[in-house]
Structure formats: structure tokens, C-alpha cells
Amino acid sequence: MAEEKEIKIQLYENKDVKEIRAKLSRHLKLSKTVVQSDHYYDNADFLFTKRDRGLRIRFIGGNPVDFTCKALFYVPKRKPSPWYVEEHVFKLPTKEIDAIRKIFERFDLQFDQNNSLLAYADLDIYFRKNNLFPKLIIEKRREIFIYKDAQVILDEVKNLGVFIEIETKTSSPMEIAKKLDLLEHGVRTIEGYTTLLSRKLGLAEMKQKEPL
């Protein structure tokens, strides 16, 4: 399990992505560029999305590469950062069956698979048997830049726009954003792409969350 230490900045619509890319390239090293398709499984009522939880299978180049369970929490006593994301990532195929079973219990899912190796097809069949389908698909072009121990990510997300994410293990992502003058290009959001897309498409009633 990993708690993500990150911030997300949604760029203003009038911002030219080429300008932002050039700025990042001047100060940071480009690690890689990938095209990702994230499939989030949910029921017809978007139960997990409404609860700020996600069951995601990520594809790169058309191939399933990992399975992720995510949840957004708000804990007031964690000032000054009461919002945090808990994330569990499993490379596919995976042998971590017991770990997945325990996580699924928190999603009120009974996982009875006894395979020694769990592949994408196994998960897809299991979800569909439980009336969970890829209700939201997030397609994006992702450029990953390196800044010390952090990743500064430039995402071009279909139907949503352009975002900058800063993910780090030890440093303060906000301090990195300030140092690189990234906040002047957009507005910070704590909401995930599934929440933003479901609200934009009118698929689920989602109350907007504000960063503190």
C-alpha cells in the first residue's frame, strides 16, 4: 500500500500545452511518454465513483499492465493536508491474490478466486459476474518529467483537458509547484479524472471537493 503524496493542477483552457511542455523541458528531464487507457469498473449507479473509490485496469499500447484499487479520504486532523489517496497497485499478471482479496472486502466484494496467478481476463470476468463494468474510460497522453525524487507529469486527457500532476515520496509537491511557477498556469484540484469526467458527462451526481 502507498499513500500518494501529490497535487494536481488543471490548466486554464486558454493555455497552450506546447508552451507548458517547453517550460517543463527547460527545467526538467523527460523520462518517458506513454499513451494510457484507464478502465474504471463500477456498477450502473456509479457506486464506487460516488464514494471516491476506484477499481482500475490500466492499458498501455493496448496491453493491460496493472490493476489498481484507490480511495480518497478526508481526515480533518491531518492538517494541513486532510485529503489523501490510498492506492494499491498490482502488476499484471499478479500472484498477490490474498492481498487483493483483503482489499476487495473493503469494497464489499467477495473474492473467491483460487488461481495462483491472476491475469486481466480473470479480473474482467470476475467484475462482470458481479455486475461491474468499465463504466468510465480515461484516455490520456502522459509525459513524465523527473525533478529530484519527484515526478512532474503532463497529462492530456480526452474530454477533460490538460493537467499537471506532481507525485513525490518525500518532498512537498506544493513547494515544487511553487518553485517551478506551475500554479500560475491553472487551478489546483483534488478530484480524480473519474470524478471530473462523470460530472462533465452527467453520469453521476458528484459534489465538488475543494482543496484546503
Side-chain angles (χ1 to χ4, degrees):
M1 185 272 287
E3 177 186 327
E4 289 186 341
K5 195 173 183 180
E6 68 172 42
I7 64 170
K8 181 189 281 110
I9 301 167
Q10 184 170 10
L11 300 191
Y12 298 126
E13 290 186 2
N14 62 349
K15 279 294 178 183
D16 186 352
V17 66
K18 293 181 180 179
E19 174 188 341
I20 304 302
R21 182 181 295 114
K23 180 175 184 176
L24 294 176
S25 297
R26 284 195 300 270
H27 300 284
L28 310 175
K29 179 182 178 182
L30 177 63
S31 173
K32 61 182 177 180
T33 301
V34 294
V35 176
Q36 299 176 339
S37 180
D38 294 341
H39 294 210
Y40 284 85
Y41 285 74
D42 211 333
N43 66 10
D45 296 323
F46 292 88
L47 178 65
F48 295 146
T49 303
K50 291 176 181 177
R51 292 182 176 178
D52 297 310
R53 298 189 176 192
L55 298 172
R56 181 191 76 199
I57 294 180
R58 170 166 289 170
F59 295 79
I60 296 179
N63 299 311
V65 295
D66 61 47
F67 167 58
T68 299
C69 304
K70 303 181 72 170
L72 175 67
F73 295 96
Y74 178 76
V75 182
K77 67 180 181 180
R78 285 173 49 97
K79 294 182 178 180
S81 301
W83 292 101
Y84 78 96
V85 175
E86 182 181 323
E87 180 178 82
H88 303 260
V89 183
F90 304 92
K91 299 296 183 183
L92 292 177
T94 180
K95 294 182 179 180
E96 298 183 71
I97 314 299
D98 289 338
I100 291 176
R101 182 178 292 110
K102 291 178 181 178
I103 295 170
F104 277 6
E105 290 176 358
R106 298 168 60 181
F107 283 77
D108 296 322
L109 294 172
Q110 298 299 316
F111 191 61
D112 55 3
Q113 299 287 322
N114 294 314
N115 308 29
S116 60
L117 190 66
L118 195 66
Y120 156 67
D122 302 312
L123 285 168
D124 185 67
I125 291 171
Y126 168 78
F127 287 145
R128 292 175 186 273
K129 284 183 177 179
N130 285 273
N131 296 313
L132 300 173
F133 302 91
K135 303 293 288 186
L136 288 168
I137 298 178
I138 308 296
E139 298 178 355
K140 60 182 179 287
R141 181 181 188 272
R142 168 165 285 189
E143 296 172 69
I144 303 175
F145 295 84
I146 303 300
Y147 180 83
K148 297 182 179 179
D149 73 327
Q151 290 186 338
V152 179
I153 299 167
L154 181 64
D155 277 346
E156 296 178 72
V157 187
K158 184 178 179 179
N159 296 321
L160 284 181
V162 183
F163 297 78
I164 295 174
E165 287 191 2
I166 302 174
E167 300 178 357
T168 178
K169 295 180 179 179
T170 58
S171 305
S172 165
M174 181 60 72
E175 290 302 315
I176 294 173
K178 291 178 180 178
K179 186 176 182 62
L180 297 175
D181 294 323
L182 297 178
L183 294 171
E184 67 182 34
H185 300 295
V187 59
R188 185 187 172 196
T189 177
I190 62 167
E191 297 184 312
Y193 294 139
T194 53
T195 299
L196 294 170
L197 184 61
S198 62
R199 182 186 296 120
K200 182 174 182 178
L201 299 179
L203 299 176
E205 290 294 328
M206 302 293 295
K207 184 178 180 181
Q208 188 165 355
K209 303 174 186 65
E210 299 290 343
L212 301 179

